[in-house]
Amino acid sequence: MDDLFVKPGNQERGWNDPPQFSYGLQVAGSTRSPLTKRGPPPPAAGLQAPPPCGDPSPDQQATSPHLHGITPPPHKMTTPTHRITPPPSGVTPPLSQATSSPCGSRLPPPPKGGPCPMSRPPSGPDSKAPCGPRAEPDPQPEPDLQAVSSVLAEALEACRQNVSRQVCEDIAKRLRLLEDSWTSGRLSSTVKRRMNALTLEMKSSHWSAADDIHRSLMVDHVTEVSQWMVGIKRLIAETRNLSPELLAFSPADPVQPEPVGN
Amino acid sequence: MTTYQEFIQQNEDRDGVRFSWNLWPSSRLEATRLVVPVSCLFTPLKERPDLPPVQYEPVMCGRANCKAVLNPLCQVDFRAKIWACNFCFQRNPFPPSYAGISDVNQPAELMPQFSTIEYVVQRGPVAPLIFLYVVDTCLEEEDLQALRESLQMSLSLLPPNALVGLITFGRMVQVHELSCEGIAKSYVFRGTKELSSKQIQEMLGLMKPAVSGQQGRPAAPQDPSATCRFLQPVHRVDMNLTDLLGELQRDPWPVPQGKRPLRSTGVALSVAVGLLEGAFPNTGARVMLFTGGPPTQGPGMVVGDELKTPIRSWHDIQKDNARHLKKSSKYYDTLANRTAVNGHSIDIYACALDQTGLLEMKCLSNLTGGHIVMGDSFNTSLFKQTFQRVFSKDYSGEFRMAFGGTMEVKTSRELKVCGAIGPCVSLGAKGPSVSENEMGVGGTSQWKVCSLNPSTTLAMFFEVVSQHNAPVPQGGRGAIQFVTQYQHSSTQRRIRVTTVARNWADAQSQIQHIESSFDQEASAVIMARLGVFRAESEEGPDVLRWLDRQLIRLFMFHLRRSPFLQVFNNSPDESSYYRHHFVRQDLTQSLIMVQPMLYSYSFHGPPEPVLLDSSSILPDRILLMDTFFQLVIYHGETIAQWRKAGYQEMAEYENFKQLLQAPLDDAQEILQTRFPMPRYVDTEHGGSQARFLLSKVNPSQTHNNSNGWTQEPGAPILTDDVSLQVFMDHLKKLAVSSST
């Protein structure tokens, strides 16, 4: 699932730059209910306060933010007091640094506990926190350049009948750029994998899916792909307009890719 | 029986309308006593996944000065195939295609659940959408590289049949030919000289050759095939344009020490508007301006090129010390109005650490419905992702952006329309339903919204014109119809019709009923828009005083302190930017902007909303604040210490790890979808960025009173600003003492 990831923003160029979401995550959208409630209004000298803006339930009247019959997380602490002064857990924190509060006393650790339902139901696709670590790429073997470029070359050949020579040459030039970048190690493995997926979609004539992959690569990895990706885009657009008999991808055979555009 | 809350919500979900009052006082006199006028927030293109458009033309009333659309409020005689217009009472025959209708076989537009309905109409040839990039080349190399890449990326996001064009500018303005073969050509304009539209078209070779001997002809129209050299379908020129963008160089003119680059933004925009004007009137077109600094030469310059002369601040403006302000504002205003007349829109993407002249240029977007995006650099996630989201698609895979909108309002006789506030211009359509009292953009019953999307929201103001003591009209309901015509992103022309009605009530005998129909949220946002509209055209302090007399207390407290009305501590550009978004967003987002959301996360239980008050800031809590423009995650003192100590890494403190994660997950939801992308602040007690939270909360505890009578917990705020309590006391005194 390496098309779903979050990267931190560019803090050097923009203060408080928000994290960057991959194309896949943005398209997926949000599945959780939005945060639209407001806190209770301040009391007006003992009178009933009017319903606050945004809060549809008129019965929240407490001024203190503490709670109405909400079960606390399951752990040893049972005190109903305001402040958390968790009982000593019995295991002293292994850190030796003196994490002392300003008044010099030792910092009590947070309440212990295993996983508990802390927040609202999680959203659909696997997503990490903003500024969290990147999703680990799957440990797949890297795709073969031959497999990818043979599909593209066949598609280009099929186009030569209907598409102008100028355009075909331009596409061919960019396919060469792709191959150069690939062989010289300038492409990340994510890009290689996604290009492989793209060509597989092309082989199955899933043009919209292929187009979508091209788009996600342009959005997520523009620096790596911008020079040649527009050629792929054009190839997909031209190929999908061809009548099926002109386009017959050979099955996955180890045939040499035809020399393109000499 | 539904409560008013439910009634209000259902109506908003179905029609995209929120009225300040849901029962209308039946006389003008009573209506004016209510302080908040009869008004509404209207979202013309509210997303309705459950509403498939119908594929026929709407049926309209035959009376020439009515032309209301057939709707569920109309009386119908199914046998005689006649319907009575509910606005003018004219009896109209149904068209022949409706011969088969009956009581049990009604067309959709008569059914109550289709009070909002959308028609797809086939009219004339299909016109493609146009995207004209106007790019500043006076950028640092890092920024220019990031912008190049974003523009190249956008070619993959554009609708494939759209026309695309490129103008670059610095000291000179270059219009690039996008033909497919041979050498790249461009036409160059001096950045200092103001040109008329005709001159621009002539210089670009766009005029049809004049036939000799025909003197005194009106201006020759543009030759569309010639215009094509500059605006080509993206599917044909994407490779060429990708290379052209990749080879864009920084403006070659050297910038001496102590000087700003010479930026001819005014002429560049004028060339762009002129290019589109002749050949593509009233076609969906976006001019997208990308700029990294203020205009420094030519018409529309905002500041000179000497760095020692800073760009104007609010202080300068108040002291009448802003040399270029009036002239440039007028220049852009004229340009904006011309663009709106042509049905085109202008976006401004301004990324720089200093101001870029948004104060002067804001009308370009505010009048046309274009976006304003403000960032620090083109090489930031905020710009890149916000720009990507311009091309976002909806639930059915269609682009959200819509073009060439015109909105018309019809009212029943007892009402007139006073005006609209939002990203629109007047079409000057006079008629029986136009009031002489103007609020916002008034004097018309039709407005143009050149660019719009599903969240674009207009505030509409009405007045009740019935005389005092006139009997409440039979049937007892007033009606309003909104007819919005627009070009869908698929280039289809569509018409969306929303017809709403509310009961009249006699204020003398039913005042409690009228009061119970009051929509506090809608009223607050509507009054706030009115306040911002007045602040932009009148003196600031007068607006604040006017606002104090409007007694929506809690909201007004925050509004008074908000950047929409309180310009202290913001630059003129920042104020323009915040106001631009406030005056077009829907109700929920607008409320967030004035009165931010605050959610609290702790071990005590699930996350919950808390009061925007300093008493909510506690050591053992994490707070998530959403101001719309910023998302702030604030870790209380104890939480911060635990985090620093690394407890989240230890297996037995898994719940602490989850506590830290919870607000991040909620923040992510917002970050993934909001347009524009907000800033993201992760801070803690004592952190310098904590000021974003501290400046928004009600300072119920300050250094002035923290040793006083209150025993409230919470962090004292260092401010001299009044607290809500003091404000409310003051207001109570005002309300009691004023007799009006």
Side-chain angles (χ1 to χ4, degrees), chain A residues 6 9-10 13-21 25-26 29-32 35-42 51 53-54 65-67 70 72-73 75 82-84 89 93-95 97 99 101-102 107-116 118-120 123 127-131 166-167 170-171 173-174 214-215 218-219 222-223 226 230-231 233-234, chain B residues 140 142-143 149 152-153 155-157 180 235-236 238-240 242-243 376-377 379-382 384-385 388-389 520-521 555 588 591-592 595-597 599 602-611 619-621 624 637 641-642 644-645 647 650 652-656 658-659 661-662 664-666 668-669 671-673 677-681 689 692 724:
Chain A
V6 185
N10 186 350
R13 290 298 281 186
W15 64 257
N16 299 318
D17 201 30
Q20 190 150 357
F21 297 87
L25 271 182
Q26 295 202 70
S30 72
T31 50
R32 289 152 83 131
L35 302 174
T36 52
K37 289 192 161 61
R38 284 205 160 70
C53 289
H66 299 288
L67 344 170
I70 299 166
H75 51 59
H82 294 291
R83 305 256 174 219
I84 291 181
S89 62
L95 299 169
Q97 71 207 55
T99 48
S101 66
L107 170 72
K112 276 171 69 171
C116 57
M118 177 51 62
S119 61
R120 290 130 20 89
S123 53
S127 49
K128 300 278 185 190
C131 306
Q166 168 87 16
V167 172
D170 211 339
I171 297 177
K173 182 179 86 176
R174 289 168 209 273
H214 121 258
R215 223 184 329 272
M218 270 304 270
V219 170
V222 62
T223 314
S226 63
V230 64
K233 171 190 185 230
R234 195 57 172 274
Chain B
E140 284 178 32
E142 183 185 335
D143 262 48
E149 288 177 357
Q152 287 169 329
M153 173 213 67
L155 296 181
S156 287
L157 298 178
C180 294
H235 65 82
R236 235 190 275 154
D238 49 7
M239 294 202 283
N240 255 26
T242 299
D243 289 341
D376 298 322
S377 152
N379 194 19
T380 54
S381 145
L382 188 142
K384 291 181 195 175
Q385 288 191 103
Q388 284 165 26
R389 286 179 194 173
Q520 186 176 343
E521 289 182 348
F555 182 81
T588 310
L591 280 175
I592 292 174
Q595 202 176 342
M597 299 286 198
Y599 267 73
S602 70
F603 284 116
H604 300 288
E608 51 165 3
V610 292
L611 198 59
D620 59 344
R621 274 200 196 159
L624 169 64
E637 187 174 10
Q641 287 170 345
W642 282 336
K644 190 156 173 243
Y647 282 106
M650 297 184 233
E652 62 270 37
Y653 294 99
E654 172 80 24
N655 58 341
F656 179 62
Q658 289 193 335
L659 179 63
Q661 187 63 33
L664 302 188
D665 289 343
D666 287 344
Q668 179 161 329
E669 292 294 320
L671 287 168
Q672 254 178 264
T673 49
M677 265 208 111
R679 307 262 187 188
Y680 178 73
V681 181
Q689 310 271 43
F692 291 108
L724 180 59

Side-chain angles (χ1 to χ4, degrees), chain B residues 183-201:
Chain B
I183 307 163
K185 277 190 357 198
S186 61
Y187 288 66
V188 180
F189 293 81
R190 293 232 321 260
T192 44
K193 198 151 173 275
E194 185 166 352
L195 294 167
S196 74
S197 172
K198 186 158 170 291
Q199 285 171 311
I200 292 168
Q201 288 160 15

Side-chain angles (χ1 to χ4, degrees), chain B residues 579-591:
Chain B
R579 287 171 175 172
H580 159 88
H581 284 288
F582 183 67
V583 174
R584 60 174 58 195
Q585 282 286 350
D586 62 34
L587 180 123
T588 310
Q589 306 302 318
S590 301
L591 280 175

